[in-house]
């Protein structure tokens, strides 16, 4: 949305801005020297789980993810807080911050500040600054014909969060999804750096279809997605088939529809999950098919048990996704 609103405004350009606001990439990149690029991102959200500590972990992992999606290393983080101090106990906020801090430390980064605002609705997240080698930045524009697409986390967190809001799922049944959302994309990013990554992004608000389409458009390619090989939360399938789907996921599906070719045999519920808006989703990595099996094996060996090859870059084109069974 911001890109659209900024379109006619005079945003200054400079050759040191390697990745700016106009591409739909994960983070901004500024060239500091021949060897170091600054990578910056900001993200915050409203609670999607009941436990404040878990929410803090998830929101921080979600904010750090854009740094990892660029192949960068996070160095510093700042808290962003909106909180109703008159209505809610500050201990609740302390738990959010405790969860966030745990993830910042796990990332090897340092908390160096923050800002809070009185607000009726809780919001929490981070601004994160990292560094990368300018020659080795992962953007979403490099996917090539002959690549395979790898995903590192299961899909369906938007559906599950909607079910939780409607009190249709217990906190206990939500636990698996909570742990995945709180999982940093650090390992995925580190492992991927040992391979010939052509394109990378993380799966968040626009869902798998939206983010993969961004990659297909930026890379000018056609991507074939194999629906049956995509890892999903079993409970998410259950709720999606009952019609428990967040509004954002419908928006995603409609947005992508002009660029989608869906095999008629595809289960429509599955398609809803592919469009489901994700919080702190996994990385989507495009790399030569010959290396993809080894990448998946290493990711699984490092605890990312659902890592899978879910598609192929089949040809050059204007940016399109073909979904087959
Ligand atoms: Co992102
Ligand atoms: Co983001
Ligand atoms: Co990127």
């Amino acid at each position: 949305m911001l890109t659209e609103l900024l379109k006619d405004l005079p945003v200054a350009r400079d050759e040191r801005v390697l990745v700016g606001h106009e591409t739909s990439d994960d983070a901004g990149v500024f060239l500091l020297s021949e060897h170091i690029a600054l990578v910056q991102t900001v993200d915050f959200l409203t609670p999607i789980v009941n436990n404040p500590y878990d929410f803090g972990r998830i929101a921080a992992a979600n904010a750090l993810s854009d740094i990892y999606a660029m192949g960068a290393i996070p160095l510093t983080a700042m808290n962003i807080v909106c909180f109703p101090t008159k209505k809610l106990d500050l201990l609740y906020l302390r738990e959010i911050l405790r969860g966030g801090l745990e993830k910042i430390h796990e990332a090897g980064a340092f908390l160096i500040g923050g800002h809070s605002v009185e607000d009726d609705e809780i919001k929490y997240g981070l601004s994160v600054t990292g560094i990368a080698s300018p020659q080795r930045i992962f953007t979403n524009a490099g996917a090539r014909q002959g690549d395979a697409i790898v995903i590192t986390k299961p899909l369906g967190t938007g559906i599950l969060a909607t079910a939780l809001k409607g009190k249709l799922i217990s906190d206990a049944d939500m636990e698996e999804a909570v742990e995945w959302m709180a999982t940093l994309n650090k390992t995925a990013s580190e492992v991927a750096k040992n391979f010939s990554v052509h394109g990378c992004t993380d799966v968040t608000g626009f869902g798998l279809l939206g983010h993969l389409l961004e990659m297909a458009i930026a890379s000018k390619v056609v991507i074939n997605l194999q629906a049956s090989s995509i890892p999903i939360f079993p409970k998410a399938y259950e709720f999606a088939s009952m019609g428990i789907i967040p509004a954002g996921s419908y928006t995603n599906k409609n947005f992508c529809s002009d660029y989608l070719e869906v095999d008629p045999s595809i289960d429509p519920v599955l398609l809803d999950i592919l469009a489901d808006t994700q919080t702190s989703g996994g990385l989507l990595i495009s790399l030569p098919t010959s290396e993809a099996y080894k990448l998946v094996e290493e990711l699984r060996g490092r605890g990312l048990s659902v890592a899978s090859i879910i598609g192929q870059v089949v040809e050059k084109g204007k940016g399109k996704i073909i979904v087959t069974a």
Side-chain angles (χ1 to χ4, degrees):
M1 187 179 77
L2 294 182
T3 306
E4 191 59 31
L5 293 175
L6 282 166
K7 210 168 64 185
D8 302 318
L9 295 176
V11 178
R13 285 160 207 273
D14 189 291
E15 59 189 19
R16 290 168 299 173
V17 177
L18 301 184
V19 179
H21 77 281
E22 58 282 87
T23 61
S24 33
D25 230 305
D26 298 296
V29 183
F30 186 86
L31 187 67
L32 282 183
S33 74
E34 201 189 324
H35 303 291
I36 297 183
L38 198 63
V39 181
Q40 292 182 291
T41 185
V42 57
D43 220 312
F44 58 109
L45 39 125
T46 55
I48 57 157
V49 291
N50 297 319
N51 181 309
Y53 165 73
D54 284 339
F55 170 55
R57 290 196 299 149
I58 291 168
N62 182 67
L64 284 155
S65 177
D66 279 330
I67 295 285
Y68 293 126
M70 300 303 280
I73 297 163
L75 293 182
T76 58
M78 291 185 155
N79 284 320
I80 299 163
V81 175
C82 300
F83 196 79
T85 53
K86 291 171 190 83
K87 284 198 306 197
L88 263 176
D89 197 316
L90 281 175
L91 279 176
Y92 189 97
L93 176 55
R94 191 170 174 278
E95 279 298 284
I96 295 176
L97 298 178
R98 183 170 74 89
L101 190 61
E102 197 179 289
K103 286 293 148 182
I104 293 168
H105 289 165
E106 187 186 328
F110 300 93
L111 180 72
I112 56 164
H115 186 71
S116 66
V117 170
E118 178 76 28
D119 194 345
D120 283 342
E121 191 181 36
I122 300 169
K123 299 176 193 81
Y124 172 66
L126 302 173
S127 74
V128 189
T129 300
I131 49 167
S133 157
Q135 293 81 26
R136 304 222 42 208
I137 294 161
F138 299 168
T139 72
N140 55 17
R144 298 175 208 169
Q145 189 177 350
D147 278 3
I149 307 289
V150 170
I151 198 169
T152 65
K153 289 188 190 181
L155 291 180
T157 62
I159 290 159
L160 292 175
T162 305
L164 188 69
K165 269 204 184 92
K167 299 192 168 56
L168 300 167
I169 185 172
S170 67
D171 283 312
D173 276 342
M174 194 65 189
E175 214 173 280
E176 190 196 0
V178 167
E179 286 316 313
W180 274 111
M181 286 189 279
T183 298
L184 292 177
N185 280 327
K186 179 177 197 271
T187 302
S189 182
E190 282 173 0
V191 172
K193 273 185 222 171
N194 299 324
F195 292 82
S196 319
V197 174
H198 290 156
C200 182
T201 191
D202 57 344
V203 186
T204 53
F206 296 138
L208 170 62
L209 288 181
H211 290 286
L212 194 64
L213 184 60
E214 279 181 341
M215 192 186 273
I217 291 172
S219 306
K220 300 187 180 70
V221 293
V222 177
I223 295 174
N224 183 353
L225 201 55
Q226 277 106 42
S228 57
S229 51
I230 299 167
I232 60 172
F233 294 107
K235 283 266 168 213
Y237 187 90
E238 247 174 73
F239 287 112
S241 45
M242 291 159 61
I244 314 293
I245 290 159
S249 305
Y250 283 115
T251 315
N252 289 342
K253 204 165 82 176
N254 289 338
F255 177 80
C256 295
S257 61
D258 286 348
Y259 309 87
L260 269 187
E261 203 180 292
V262 182
D263 188 286
S265 71
I266 298 291
D267 178 356
V269 174
L270 199 54
L271 202 62
D272 286 336
I273 298 173
L274 302 194
D276 186 37
T277 172
Q278 303 295 286
T279 299
S280 193
L283 293 187
L284 270 182
I285 303 159
S286 184
L287 78 168
T289 303
S290 56
E291 297 183 35
Y293 295 93
K294 185 100 180 80
L295 171 63
V296 165
E297 192 186 309
E298 285 193 24
L299 291 170
R300 289 187 177 188
R302 296 273 307 265
L304 298 165
S305 57
V306 302
S308 304
I309 296 174
I310 58 167
Q312 284 80 33
V313 179
V314 285
E315 57 186 356
K316 288 183 187 168
K318 273 190 190 152
K320 188 170 95 173
I321 298 175
I322 301 170
V323 186
T324 55

